[in-house]
Amino acid sequence: MQIGKELYSGKAKSVFETDDPDRLILRFRDDTSAFDGEKVAQLARKGTVNNKFNAFIMQRLEDAGIPTHFDELLSKNESVVKRLEMIPLECVVRNIAAGSLCKRLGVQEGMDLDPPTFEFFLKNDELHDPMINDYHIRSFGWATDEEVAQMKKLTFEANDALKAIFQAEGMLLVDYKLEFGRYHGRVLLGDEFTPDGCRLWDADTRKKLDKDRFRQGLGGVVEAYEEVARRLGVDLSDVNA
Ligand code: TMP
Ligand code: ASP
């Protein structure tokens, strides 16, 4: 696979063309950002840990019947993915109240949400990713009704699979964000699933093991990601190589 020109550089990943028009290379960088790019830092090993973590989870989601863009690991911090036409929406499922939900609705962090709740956000840093609903998506033509239904279905199916994966290793999946894209007429899961885009707590102590450690200045950010990865059995053998 020949790496081509850089198509796009986001806050934590860069995207490159390849010699195959249907494939891209994702490069996971050590850059970390929060609050829509307001707080940034470089965290050693994060790119490699997240690349390996994402590969592991994407494969587990495929096993659970959720179609993803993931093809294969290319290097310690790069993966080959299918080239999607991204839908500019973030799909968030919450099993436990935390983050913006608590601020917005004045509910206590840690409250169980039964059933889990679903929210759409518009992917737009300048506007601070505003929450939107299905009607906005329809009025502005960001996705078809069929795509909206498919994104909700796949995001909830992912919840069942992911909750079980983390629960088995003593962790609670508090919430997470997924992004989807179009590939030859199908909706596939794109972007990434890593502790940068979800909340994970230790089931016994409720210790935060995700990007809230960075947002809240708790320290030990990458160490927490590595702990989650190790518990799941993700191969991190060449992280320091
Ligand atoms: P929130 O509580 O800030 O709305 O975030 C909910 C979940 O979605 C949390 O796991 C973090 C994730 N998320 C992102 O990964 N990127 C984003 O831009 C936003 C708004 C949320
Ligand atoms: N992913 C967003 C950012 O980097 C929001 C966040 O994670 O707080 O700025």
Side-chain angles (χ1 to χ4, degrees):
M1 175 83 33
Q2 200 67 33
I3 191 157
K5 79 169 199 293
E6 184 174 85
L7 265 187
Y8 173 78
S9 186
K11 295 191 290 285
K13 296 192 294 301
S14 302
V15 182
F16 297 85
E17 284 185 326
T18 69
D19 46 358
D20 179 345
D22 266 344
R23 294 288 180 283
L24 296 173
I25 291 170
L26 289 189
R27 179 176 296 162
F28 289 76
R29 308 194 314 268
D30 287 344
D31 300 308
T32 308
S33 100
F35 312 118
D36 309 313
E38 210 178 278
K39 177 172 177 173
V40 293
Q42 283 249 322
L43 300 176
R45 306 190 305 283
K46 198 199 67 152
T48 307
V49 173
N50 274 3
N51 185 43
K52 299 293 175 72
F53 195 100
N54 178 64
F56 178 91
I57 295 287
M58 289 282 169
Q59 280 158 350
R60 297 292 293 264
L61 289 173
E62 288 277 357
D63 294 345
I66 292 144
T68 81
H69 68 159
F70 183 79
D71 267 1
E72 58 181 1
L73 282 168
L74 182 68
S75 70
K76 61 190 232 180
N77 66 339
E78 295 166 320
S79 288
V80 180
V81 298
K82 296 182 183 67
R83 184 179 189 147
L84 309 187
E85 181 199 341
M86 292 307 289
I87 299 171
L89 304 173
E90 301 187 340
C91 300
V92 171
V93 161
R94 300 177 190 270
N95 296 305
I96 298 176
S100 72
L101 182 79
C102 296
K103 283 212 189 87
R104 205 181 325 123
L105 302 181
V107 296
Q108 193 72 32
E109 181 180 87
M111 180 187 167
D112 274 326
L113 301 172
D114 186 16
T117 191
F118 181 99
E119 296 162 346
F120 277 121
F121 294 88
L122 179 65
K123 206 173 153 64
N124 184 321
D125 275 348
E126 274 172 41
L127 299 178
H128 302 292
D129 294 347
M131 190 167 77
I132 53 165
N133 66 32
D134 304 32
Y135 289 87
H136 298 111
I137 298 173
R138 190 177 299 138
S139 299
F140 293 103
W142 290 315
T144 66
D145 288 356
E146 204 182 309
E147 287 168 339
V148 165
Q150 186 68 357
M151 287 188 283
K152 286 182 183 168
K153 176 174 170 280
L154 294 175
T155 305
F156 276 115
E157 283 173 7
N159 195 35
D160 293 335
L162 294 168
K163 269 198 304 191
I165 290 169
F166 291 111
Q167 200 167 13
E169 305 306 329
M171 290 172 279
L172 298 172
L173 178 62
V174 173
D175 57 31
Y176 59 93
K177 180 262 304 177
L178 300 182
E179 295 180 28
F180 293 89
R182 306 176 181 102
Y183 184 77
H184 298 290
R186 294 171 68 212
V187 171
L188 306 188
L189 176 61
D191 192 48
E192 68 178 73
F193 187 98
T194 68
D196 270 358
C198 69
R199 289 191 173 93
L200 292 166
W201 294 349
D202 179 84
D204 292 329
T205 63
R206 297 216 157 193
K207 178 183 170 188
K208 295 181 200 296
L209 300 170
D210 56 71
K211 198 163 87 175
D212 269 351
R213 300 202 69 80
F214 176 68
R215 295 190 188 96
Q216 300 174 8
L218 301 175
V221 181
V222 177
E223 290 76 5
Y225 291 20
E226 287 170 327
E227 182 183 334
V228 178
R230 265 194 304 271
R231 286 199 207 181
L232 297 182
V234 178
D235 179 9
L236 295 181
S237 52
D238 63 347
V239 164
N240 286 306

